[in-house]
Amino acid sequence: MTKSTLEKFIPYIVLSFIGIVFFLPLLWILFASFDPHATVSLRIPRTISVENFTSVLTDKTNQRSLLIGVFLSLGQSFITVVAATLAAYPLSRYQLKYKKPFLLTILFMTSLPITAVMVPVYQLFMFLNLHDSLLGTMLFLASSSLPYAIWMTKNFMDAVPLVLEESAWIDGASVLKGLQKIVAPLMIPGICTVAIFTFTLSWGNFFVPYILIQSPEKLPASVTIYQFFGQYGLVEYGKLAAFSLIYTIPPIILYMISQRFMSEGFNFGGATKG
């Protein structure tokens, strides 16, 4: 094998190795979830059983935590998408005096780690009596994901031609009506992207609900998954794998629903609307 041929294969070898490293944990989850005697080792189960899934799904605590997780993530995603669309509109359409510094501030806030603000946020929640509140937690999750959502939404909105809105304005539509009837339908792929991004961030967020929610019956699935790590190093690997597999279903369902809109891309069929 010549040196040039070897250089061509090296990237594929490296990428294949990385793919295997990421694939093995997923394979362990799949095998262990159907293994009633699962261990930390990756192995094909001797007997395939749904005992782990039955135990997880019939537990009232797990059912409640999954529903709470869906409620928090969907609510946070909806609030973020609406707020980001309204905030991104003037940034995309108007020449504001402090537009560039504001955008740079938003960009800086996207890199701010959530752990850096949790102490003052917790004190604020205690002062406002919002601690141990699902609604308060949802609002904070929405506000923490809003900077990145505004930045993404603004970029998507820039792709919608202003001339379409101007035609609607000539026909008597207000700015808000133009945003609702013209801009929003044409940037559905962008809205779906922002919704999936914010939902995934909230769905997998452990730190925020762990700090802001004290009642065990209000904890989402991202926190209650740690119940399978018992005391003295004992871990229920089978149930942990089954719960982890179930835990991945909501983001996949959301992506499948949104994929139909995202695959269409940006189309300007709205230009023919009367």
Side-chain angles (χ1 to χ4, degrees):
M1 183 178 292
T2 63
K3 183 178 179 181
S4 59
T5 305
L6 182 62
E7 290 177 350
K8 292 180 181 179
F9 279 99
I10 286 179
Y12 295 100
I13 295 173
V14 173
L15 291 175
S16 299
F17 175 76
I18 295 175
I20 292 173
V21 169
F22 279 93
F23 179 71
L24 288 178
L26 299 178
L27 197 61
W28 176 86
I29 291 176
L30 182 62
F31 286 163
S33 61
F34 291 98
D35 189 353
H37 306 290
T39 63
V40 71
S41 302
L42 175 61
R43 66 180 186 183
I44 300 176
R46 297 177 180 177
T47 57
I48 297 178
S49 172
V50 294
E51 177 184 342
N52 294 323
F53 291 97
T54 303
S55 178
V56 168
L57 290 176
T58 54
D59 191 308
K60 298 293 184 181
T61 301
N62 295 333
Q63 295 174 5
R64 182 173 59 248
S65 65
L66 287 169
L67 290 176
I68 291 175
V70 172
F71 169 73
L72 283 177
S73 299
L74 285 180
Q76 177 256 3
S77 182
F78 176 79
I79 294 173
T80 302
V81 167
V82 173
T85 302
L86 295 175
Y89 184 82
L91 295 174
S92 174
R93 291 300 189 250
Y94 302 141
Q95 295 298 326
L96 305 177
K97 184 177 181 180
Y98 299 104
K99 178 179 177 179
K100 186 175 181 180
F102 184 73
L103 288 173
L104 292 177
T105 302
I106 292 177
L107 186 61
F108 167 76
M109 292 175 66
T110 61
S111 62
L112 191 65
I114 197 69
T115 53
V117 298
M118 280 310 300
V119 172
V121 166
Y122 181 78
Q123 294 293 333
L124 177 64
F125 270 54
M126 292 291 292
F127 176 76
L128 298 176
N129 198 25
L130 287 176
H131 65 286
D132 202 26
S133 168
L134 292 179
L135 181 59
T137 304
M138 181 191 300
L139 292 175
F140 176 71
L141 288 171
S143 62
S144 61
S145 60
L146 193 57
Y148 201 89
I150 293 175
W151 188 269
M152 292 176 62
T153 306
K154 190 260 181 188
N155 291 331
F156 285 121
M157 195 171 292
D158 288 343
V160 180
L162 181 60
V163 65
L164 301 180
E165 283 186 89
E166 292 175 344
S167 300
W169 296 339
I170 293 174
D171 292 337
S174 63
V175 173
L176 187 59
K177 185 63 67 174
L179 173 62
Q180 178 185 355
K181 297 295 185 180
I182 303 297
V183 180
L186 295 178
M187 54 177 294
I188 285 180
I191 292 175
C192 291
T193 302
V194 175
I196 293 174
F197 175 79
T198 54
F199 180 92
T200 305
L201 284 181
S202 176
W203 182 252
N205 195 310
F206 167 81
F207 191 65
V208 171
Y210 180 76
I211 296 297
L212 299 182
I213 299 177
Q214 283 77 45
S215 301
E217 63 274 7
K218 293 183 180 180
L219 294 175
S222 59
V223 179
T224 58
I225 193 173
Y226 284 85
Q227 67 181 309
F228 301 106
F229 294 86
Q231 295 180 347
Y232 311 110
L234 298 176
V235 183
E236 299 177 283
Y237 290 107
K239 294 180 181 178
L240 174 61
F243 191 88
S244 300
L245 198 59
I246 297 171
Y247 186 68
T248 61
I249 292 177
I252 293 176
I253 292 177
L254 179 63
Y255 178 80
M256 292 175 62
I257 294 174
S258 303
Q259 180 63 25
R260 181 171 66 89
F261 301 101
M262 295 174 64
S263 60
E264 294 177 356
F266 289 92
N267 62 82
F268 299 110
T272 61
K273 292 182 179 180

